[in-house]
């Protein structure tokens, strides 16, 4: 396993899309949000399904959003296009072409979600990845996400890594730590490995992975970067303290079973950020839910001395 000092460690924010009260992209709020995250040193993944509401965005809106991210944060932190799970190969190839036109640093290639809870056969999945990678002019990161009903076989990723120099990483989102362990063991250092969500960050870093993605960095980007900075410097106690605060924030924002974007944007509004409008079908939290969330955030702020979680 590579030590933290000999490998690149990083964290990325799966960014929200800042909408105004009418559901239109709020450019000023979006620039401020991208800038706040980049100021903390956190990379950007833009246009995600959740919390980015990517399924509600039109292609011109995606181009505009990615261009804003590049304009605001490009050259300071990596800016990557995330997109949403495609139904077919053509959908992902169109997204890759769109992303390439905006000069982002890399693009994520999601696993196929062909609908009706159907899982693609292994040969279908590999053909899909190869078709997309063959047409991809950008550095690419595969997504292996259990939410589509399966994870990408490690041996398949290994073959793709051997055949495509533009494949630079994998984002792994699964509670299966044995799968994660095997992937890190077999794919690093050829590919960078990030885990989706902070839940398995410590495990991933201990095994030789490169970091994590989060939605929590929309709310507290400096906190999310601090954990990586401490791990990189070998400050284990401080790293665990920061990690504990991130997980406490995650618990606070997940106190109700609903779409993450509703809770994340509500938390952003509570701490004083703009651009927290939602697009249908998503609806704002009810007042009693906001009161509960405000109380949870205040408790995390008190326990971990994080004043940024209290309204400015």
């Amino acid at each position: 396993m590579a030590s933290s000092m000999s490998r690149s460690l990083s964290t990325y924010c799966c960014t929200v899309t800042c909408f105004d009260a009418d559901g239109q992209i709020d450019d000023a709020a979006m620039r401020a949000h991208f800038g706040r995250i980049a100021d903390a040193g956190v990379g950007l993944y833009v246009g995600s399904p959740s919390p980015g509401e990517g399924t509600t965005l039109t292609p011109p809106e995606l181009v505009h959003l990615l261009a804003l991210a590049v304009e605001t944060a490009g050259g300071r932190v990596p800016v990557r296009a995330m997109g949403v799970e495609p139904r077919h190969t053509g959908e992902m190839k169109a997204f890759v072409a769109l992303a390439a036109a905006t000069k982002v640093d890399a693009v994520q290639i999601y696993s196929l979600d062909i609908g009706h809870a159907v899982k693609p056969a292994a040969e279908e999945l590999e053909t899909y990845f190869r078709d997309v990678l063959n047409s991809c002019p950008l550095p690419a990161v595969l997504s292996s996400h259990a939410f589509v009903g399966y994870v990408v076989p490690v041996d398949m990723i290994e073959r793709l890594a051997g055949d495509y120099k533009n494949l630079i990483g994998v984002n792994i989102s699964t509670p299966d730590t044995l799968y994660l362990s095997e992937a890190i063991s077999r794919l690093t250092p050829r590919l960078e490995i990030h885990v989706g969500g902070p839940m398995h960050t410590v495990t991933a870093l201990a095994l030789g992975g490169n970091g994590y993605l989060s939605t929590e960095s929309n709310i507290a980007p400096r906190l999310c970067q601090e954990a990586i900075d401490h791990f990189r410097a070998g400050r284990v106690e401080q790293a665990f303290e920061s990690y504990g605060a991130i997980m406490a924030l995650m618990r606070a924002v997940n106190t109700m079973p609903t779409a993450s974007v509703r809770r994340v944007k509500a938390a952003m509004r509570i701490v004083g950020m703009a651009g927290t409008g939602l697009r249908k079908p998503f609806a704002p939290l009810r007042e009693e839910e906001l009161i509960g969330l405000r109380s949870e955030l205040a408790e995390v702020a008190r326990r971990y001395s994080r004043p940024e979680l209290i309204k400015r």
Side-chain angles (χ1 to χ4, degrees), residues 133-150:
L133 285 166
N134 280 329
S135 67
C136 182
L138 292 169
V141 180
L142 298 189
S143 169
S144 182
H145 203 309
F147 279 10
V148 297
Y150 63 92

Side-chain angles (χ1 to χ4, degrees), residues 111-133:
S111 298
L112 275 171
D113 180 2
I114 54 180
H116 216 57
V118 175
K119 300 175 187 177
E123 59 269 27
E124 294 170 337
L125 184 61
E126 185 162 351
T127 297
Y128 156 75
F129 281 129
R130 289 182 179 276
D131 284 348
V132 176
L133 285 166

Side-chain angles (χ1 to χ4, degrees), residues 83-93 95 109-115 128 132 148 150:
V84 303
E85 297 90 341
R87 291 300 201 197
H88 56 82
T89 305
E91 222 175 276
M92 181 50 65
K93 289 173 78 171
F95 176 71
I109 300 175
Y110 254 122
S111 298
L112 275 171
D113 180 2
I114 54 180
Y128 156 75
V132 176
V148 297
Y150 63 92

Side-chain angles (χ1 to χ4, degrees), residues 22-297:
D22 297 320
Q24 301 304 306
I25 294 175
D26 185 332
D27 284 9
M30 201 71 259
R31 286 190 178 94
H33 192 58
F34 287 146
R36 184 184 307 114
I37 295 165
D39 286 346
V42 176
L44 305 178
Y45 267 108
V46 181
S48 69
S50 182
E53 298 175 77
T55 56
T56 75
L57 297 171
T58 65
E61 286 176 326
L62 271 169
V63 168
H64 180 66
L65 190 63
L66 291 168
L68 279 178
V70 171
E71 172 195 319
T72 306
R76 293 198 286 157
V77 296
V79 177
R80 296 179 173 184
M82 178 164 269
V84 303
E85 297 90 341
R87 291 300 201 197
H88 56 82
T89 305
E91 222 175 276
M92 181 50 65
K93 289 173 78 171
F95 176 71
V96 167
L98 175 154
T102 66
K103 312 293 187 190
V104 293
D105 297 306
V107 62
Q108 178 180 264
I109 300 175
Y110 254 122
S111 298
L112 275 171
D113 180 2
I114 54 180
H116 216 57
V118 175
K119 300 175 187 177
E123 59 269 27
E124 294 170 337
L125 184 61
E126 185 162 351
T127 297
Y128 156 75
F129 281 129
R130 289 182 179 276
D131 284 348
V132 176
L133 285 166
N134 280 329
S135 67
C136 182
L138 292 169
V141 180
L142 298 189
S143 169
S144 182
H145 203 309
F147 279 10
V148 297
Y150 63 92
V151 290
V152 182
V154 175
D155 58 349
M156 182 184 298
I157 301 172
E158 206 168 33
R159 286 194 298 273
L160 294 170
D163 291 345
Y164 295 94
K165 290 183 179 179
N166 60 330
L167 181 58
I168 63 168
V170 189
N171 293 330
I172 294 177
S173 303
T174 176
D176 186 346
T177 53
L178 292 180
Y179 172 87
L180 176 63
S181 175
E182 181 185 3
I184 291 173
S185 175
R186 291 173 59 179
L187 301 175
T188 61
R190 166 63 184 87
L191 300 178
E192 62 176 45
I193 305 291
H194 288 80
V195 288
M199 304 82 70
H200 300 295
T201 298
V202 174
T203 301
L205 293 175
L207 291 170
N210 299 88
Y212 70 105
L213 283 54
S214 77
T215 60
E216 290 70 28
S217 44
N218 286 286
I219 306 161
R222 292 192 184 280
L223 169 61
C224 293
Q225 182 61 38
E226 275 177 21
I228 288 294
D229 291 342
H230 289 318
F231 275 114
R232 184 188 294 116
R235 297 187 294 264
V236 176
E237 262 190 58
Q238 294 98 317
F240 287 167
E241 178 76 9
S242 296
Y243 181 66
I246 294 165
M247 289 305 297
L249 174 58
M250 186 180 189
R251 290 196 307 275
V253 177
N254 282 274
T255 51
M256 59 211 72
T258 183
S260 69
V261 65
R262 297 181 66 214
R263 304 187 301 266
V264 170
K265 282 192 169 179
M268 290 170 59
R269 181 150 61 94
I270 286 169
V271 302
M273 297 180 191
T276 58
L278 294 159
R279 277 189 174 174
K280 292 181 179 180
F282 301 115
L285 298 188
R286 299 188 301 273
E287 186 58 32
E288 61 270 27
E289 293 173 321
L290 280 171
I291 291 169
L293 179 55
R294 186 177 290 109
S295 175
E296 294 279 351
L297 291 174

